[in-house]
């Protein structure tokens, strides 16, 4: 006898997605903040990238601290506080980070700014740990992926308009930001910007806290402490620090008068340590799960293979998403790709990140109780609307959009993929991952417009992956769901390891050939989508069957 479907709490969901918007909006603002700091503090390229490193590393540290405190206290903190209060606390913590930023900017302290951004992202870590499983619980589990996708769609909209709003606030225009504009920017405007950001965080916290539509989300069950998982993660963190140290230390060397051979040797040295960091994550997680399979006591959520493989999935997904976008600018400088200047390359980079919005807007259709016919119609119309919105945003940013018109062909392929996936998370992940492999291979084997479009479509392929990986990874975890969520948030660390690996490979084998990293990443994600169905079925969970009967 089928169980009645749980109605979606749209009131709570609408409040929750405002938090998703902030993540994208603030993270995208870094694209303006990085060149400002590079000019104002006279930083080299590596030093300016510490902004992103501090931001993404905070996710790992924040989720790890949550697990440590929960293990010591004998109860999961997010479960104890409830999803609602955890998100409120996270927003207030991010507001504290904005206050630190204001003090640091006023004191002309770049390390202070890095710390401020780190605190902001620590708050984001707590918010994400609570918000992702919260979205799944706000309705029928069969449509949980669509609700997370809806949050991602709003997040991507924040990412798309964030640079425009920040540019308008700082420079009074949405036109392209030139070096001259950055050089003339006063610190007072940066301070005003972060006063506004802090006020938004506090306002969102108040909205969430006093909303009667949002349930507390408290988990009353006591979870196993997970001492063995904690020990493994602490050891893994220590080894990662040891791996990163030589990379950072090597940047203090003066290579001004070095020969090409010496520079090549140094890049190879850094690459070896970064690959070592990757090996630490992969081997550490796999060994943990193998040990947990033999004796599950003390391993907490890590006893579940779908979670451990999903942790590697999140690590890989975030890594490939950031790596493709971060290396596009350098790729487009190459002769075979048009020898584009930074200004000429910007529309393509905006389209890549905007492709995430196109895919997520399309996937979010499943979060609403439309009829089957209306849903199919919207899955055709919505991606083209999102594409049009993105073209408008790029146009308003004072860039030429003519070269992007034919990208609608890639959008049409996305639509076909959605129809083939039939709202089944594992199947969706496999199809989009295989499309990602195909796109990257086409990009590697060709040049010019075809290759550029192929690499840009990596954003379309990545767009739907987070909710698929997340929902499949926490399926069947029961009382360990929030603990598993924290473990998954830790793996955003992939954005701090895989992009530098591709960057170093580019120094060794060329920027074009370095996109082989993306091929390997998409291949693993396809593998996860394939094996996770069998893993869940062994536990009595037929996830695809549940979703296919979701009753939209």
């Amino acid at each position: 006898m089928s169980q009645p479907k749980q109605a979606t709490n749209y009131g709570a969901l609408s409040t929750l997605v405002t938090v998703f918007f902030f993540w994208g909006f603030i993270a995208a603002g870094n694209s303006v903040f990085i060149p400002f700091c590079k000019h104002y503090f006279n930083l080299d390229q590596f030093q300016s990238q510490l902004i992103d490193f501090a931001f993404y590393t905070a996710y790992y540290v924040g989720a790890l601290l949550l697990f440590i405190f929960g293990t010591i206290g004998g109860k999961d903190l997010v479960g104890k506080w409830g999803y609602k209060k955890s998100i409120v606390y996270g927003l207030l913590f991010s507001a504290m980070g904005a206050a630190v930023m204001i003090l640091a900017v006023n004191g002309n302290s770049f390390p202070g700014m890095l710390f401020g951004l780190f605190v902001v992202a620590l708050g984001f870590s707590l918010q994400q740990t609570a918000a992702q499983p919260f979205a799944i619980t706000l309705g029928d589990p069969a449509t949980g992926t669509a609700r997370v996708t809806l949050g991602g769609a709003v997040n991507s909209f924040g990412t798309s308009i964030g640079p425009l709003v920040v540019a308008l606030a700082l420079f009074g225009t949405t036109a392209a930001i030139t070096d001259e504009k950055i050089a003339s920017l006063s610190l007072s405007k940066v301070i005003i910007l972060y006063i506004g950001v802090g006020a938004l965080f506090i306002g969102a916290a108040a909205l969430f806290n006093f909303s009667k539509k949002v349930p507390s989300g408290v988990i009353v069950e006591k979870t196993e402490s997970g001492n063995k998982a904690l020990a493994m993660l602490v050891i893994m963190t220590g080894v990662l620090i040891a791996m990163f140290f030589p990379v950072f230390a090597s940047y203090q060397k003066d290579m001004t008068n070095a020969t090409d051979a010496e520079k090549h040797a140094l890049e190879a040295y850094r690459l070896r340590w970064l690959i070592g960091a990757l090996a630490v994550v992969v081997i550490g997680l796999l060994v943990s799960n193998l040990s947990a399979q033999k004796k599950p006591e003390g391993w907490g959520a890590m006893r579940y293979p779908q979670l451990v493989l999903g942790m590697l999935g999140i690590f890989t997904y975030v890594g490939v998403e950031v790596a493709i976008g971060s290396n596009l600018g350098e790729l487009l400088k190459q002769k075979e790709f048009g020898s584009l200047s930074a200004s000429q390359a910007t529309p393509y980079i905006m389209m890549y990140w905007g492709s995430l919005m196109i895919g997520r807007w399309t996937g979010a259709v499943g979060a609403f109780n439309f009829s089957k016919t209306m849903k199919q119609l919207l899955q055709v119309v919505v991606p083209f609307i999102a594409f049009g919105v993105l073209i408008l945003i790029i146009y308003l940013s004072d860039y030429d959009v003519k070269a992007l018109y034919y990208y609608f062909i890639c959008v049409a392929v996305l639509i076909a993929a959605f129809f083939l996936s039939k709202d089944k998370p594992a199947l969706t992940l496999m199809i989009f991952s295989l499309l990602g492999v195909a796109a990257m291979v086409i990009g590697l084997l060709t040049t010019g417009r075809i290759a550029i479009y192929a690499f840009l479509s990596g954003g379309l392929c990545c767009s739907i992956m987070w909710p698929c990986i997340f929902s499949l990874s926490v399926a069947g975890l029961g009382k360990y769901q929030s603990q598993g969520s924290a473990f998954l948030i830790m793996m955003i660390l992939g954005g701090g390891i895989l992009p530098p690996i591709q960057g170093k490979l580019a120094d060794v084998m060329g920027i074009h050939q370095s996109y082989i990293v993306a091929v390997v990443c998409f291949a693993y994600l396809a593998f996860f989508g394939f094996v996770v169905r069998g893993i869940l079925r062994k536990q009595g969970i037929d996830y695809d069957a549940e979703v296919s009967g979701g009753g939209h």
Side-chain angles (χ1 to χ4, degrees):
M1 183 177 178
S2 61
Q3 296 293 321
K5 300 297 183 183
Q6 179 183 346
T8 300
N9 186 339
Y10 287 111
L13 185 62
S14 61
T15 306
L16 179 62
V17 295
T18 60
V19 182
F20 283 78
F21 176 83
F22 283 131
W23 302 336
F25 180 84
I26 300 301
N30 288 349
S31 64
V32 177
F33 194 60
I34 287 173
F36 164 72
C37 286
K38 186 176 181 180
H39 174 270
Y40 188 83
F41 293 103
N42 194 28
L43 308 174
D44 61 29
Q45 184 62 23
F46 171 73
Q47 289 170 326
S48 69
Q49 294 302 307
L50 288 175
I51 291 173
D52 271 341
F53 183 81
F55 195 79
Y56 286 108
T57 303
Y59 282 95
Y60 178 85
V61 174
L64 179 60
L65 288 174
L66 276 177
F67 181 52
I68 290 173
F69 291 138
T71 300
I72 293 173
K75 191 167 182 63
D76 173 56
L77 282 182
V78 172
K80 180 181 178 181
W81 293 335
Y83 294 135
K84 180 177 181 177
K85 283 188 177 180
S86 295
I87 292 172
V88 171
Y89 294 158
L91 286 164
L92 293 176
F93 208 85
S94 293
M96 288 173 56
V100 173
M101 283 291 297
I102 293 168
L103 294 174
V105 171
N106 191 54
N108 292 336
S109 172
F110 180 62
M113 292 182 186
L114 291 179
F115 181 67
L117 282 172
F118 183 83
V119 175
V120 169
L122 277 178
F124 283 4
S125 176
L126 176 55
Q127 293 164 46
Q128 287 220 32
T129 301
Q132 307 287 345
F134 198 18
I136 295 174
T137 63
L138 290 177
D140 187 351
T143 56
T145 298
R147 286 189 295 280
V148 177
T149 303
L150 176 63
V154 176
N155 175 273
S156 292
F157 182 63
T159 301
S160 298
I161 70 168
L164 282 179
V165 176
V166 172
L168 187 63
L170 293 179
F171 304 104
T173 178
T174 59
I177 299 173
T178 63
D179 291 340
E180 290 75 17
K181 289 180 180 177
I182 292 173
S184 63
L185 180 63
S186 66
L187 287 181
S188 61
K189 289 189 175 181
V190 178
I191 291 173
I192 292 172
L193 172 66
Y194 275 94
I195 289 174
V197 167
L200 285 174
F201 284 140
I202 294 172
L207 173 67
F208 219 84
N209 186 61
F210 296 113
S211 174
K212 295 181 179 179
K213 297 178 181 179
V214 181
S216 65
V218 174
I219 300 175
V220 296
E221 293 182 275
K222 185 176 181 180
T223 59
E224 182 186 315
S225 62
N227 290 322
K228 293 178 182 177
L230 174 59
M232 173 59 77
L233 287 170
V234 170
I235 292 171
M236 195 169 78
T237 302
V239 178
L240 280 173
I241 292 172
M243 291 288 182
F244 279 126
F245 183 78
V247 177
F248 282 93
S250 67
Y251 279 93
Q252 298 177 3
K253 295 183 179 180
D254 184 5
M255 301 299 291
T256 305
N257 299 316
T259 64
D260 289 341
E262 289 173 333
K263 291 178 180 177
H264 183 84
L266 182 59
E267 294 302 335
Y269 169 81
R270 293 168 178 164
L271 178 60
R272 285 195 297 271
W273 284 107
L274 287 170
I275 291 176
L278 174 62
V280 168
V281 174
V282 174
I283 295 173
L285 292 178
L286 293 179
V287 168
S288 297
N289 187 246
L290 287 173
S291 300
Q293 293 298 306
K294 296 176 182 178
K295 192 175 182 181
E297 291 77 15
W299 283 102
M302 277 193 181
R303 69 180 65 190
Y304 296 94
Q306 67 265 33
L307 176 70
V308 173
L309 293 177
M311 289 170 71
L312 289 174
I314 291 292
F315 181 92
T316 304
Y317 151 71
V318 176
V320 72
E321 177 184 287
V322 176
I324 293 173
S326 296
N327 288 284
L328 267 179
E330 185 63 28
L331 179 77
L332 296 175
K333 289 180 183 178
Q334 308 308 307
K335 184 178 180 181
E336 59 269 33
F337 289 93
S339 302
L340 303 183
S341 66
S343 178
Q344 291 171 322
T346 298
Y348 293 100
I349 296 172
M350 292 179 71
M351 180 57 73
Y352 171 74
W353 291 111
S355 293
L356 297 168
M357 183 183 80
I358 295 172
R360 288 169 181 169
W361 280 25
T362 309
V365 170
F368 301 94
N369 292 321
F370 296 121
S371 66
K372 184 177 180 180
T373 302
M374 176 59 73
K375 179 183 173 185
Q376 290 175 339
L377 176 63
L378 288 173
Q379 283 185 328
V380 174
V381 173
V382 167
F384 286 117
I385 291 176
F387 177 60
V389 169
L390 192 57
I391 289 289
L392 179 62
I393 290 172
I394 296 172
Y395 175 78
L396 292 175
S397 300
D398 200 28
Y399 292 110
D400 185 8
V401 296
K402 293 178 182 177
L404 295 169
Y405 287 156
Y406 289 103
Y407 190 64
F408 80 88
I409 297 172
C410 298
V411 177
V413 174
L414 169 87
I415 294 170
F418 267 105
F419 277 94
L420 286 173
S421 64
K422 301 177 181 178
D423 283 342
K424 298 179 178 181
L427 181 61
T428 299
L429 184 59
M430 277 196 295
I431 290 174
F432 278 77
S433 298
L434 291 174
L435 281 175
V437 171
M440 295 304 106
V441 170
I442 291 172
L444 283 168
L445 297 179
T446 59
T447 57
R449 183 73 58 83
I450 292 176
I452 292 173
Y453 276 15
F455 288 132
L456 292 183
S457 66
L460 296 173
C461 297
C462 286
S463 63
I464 199 68
M465 288 184 175
W466 174 280
C468 292
I469 298 169
F470 203 96
S471 58
L472 290 166
S473 300
V474 300
L477 265 59
K479 63 183 180 180
Y480 296 107
Q481 185 164 310
S482 60
Q483 186 184 101
S485 175
F487 289 162
L488 290 169
I489 299 302
M490 283 183 201
M491 291 299 103
I492 291 177
L493 178 69
I497 293 180
L498 290 177
I501 287 178
Q502 180 173 345
K504 296 307 174 191
L505 277 177
D507 292 328
V508 175
M509 61 192 299
I511 184 66
H512 190 187
Q513 291 73 22
S514 73
Y515 274 82
I516 189 66
V517 170
V519 176
V520 175
C521 290
F522 281 125
Y524 172 76
L525 292 167
F527 165 77
F528 174 66
F530 177 75
V531 301
V532 72
R533 288 188 298 180
I535 291 172
L536 292 176
R537 282 173 183 163
K538 287 181 180 179
Q539 299 173 18
I541 305 168
D542 195 347
Y543 210 86
D544 280 349
E546 291 179 15
V547 174
S548 63
H552 292 292

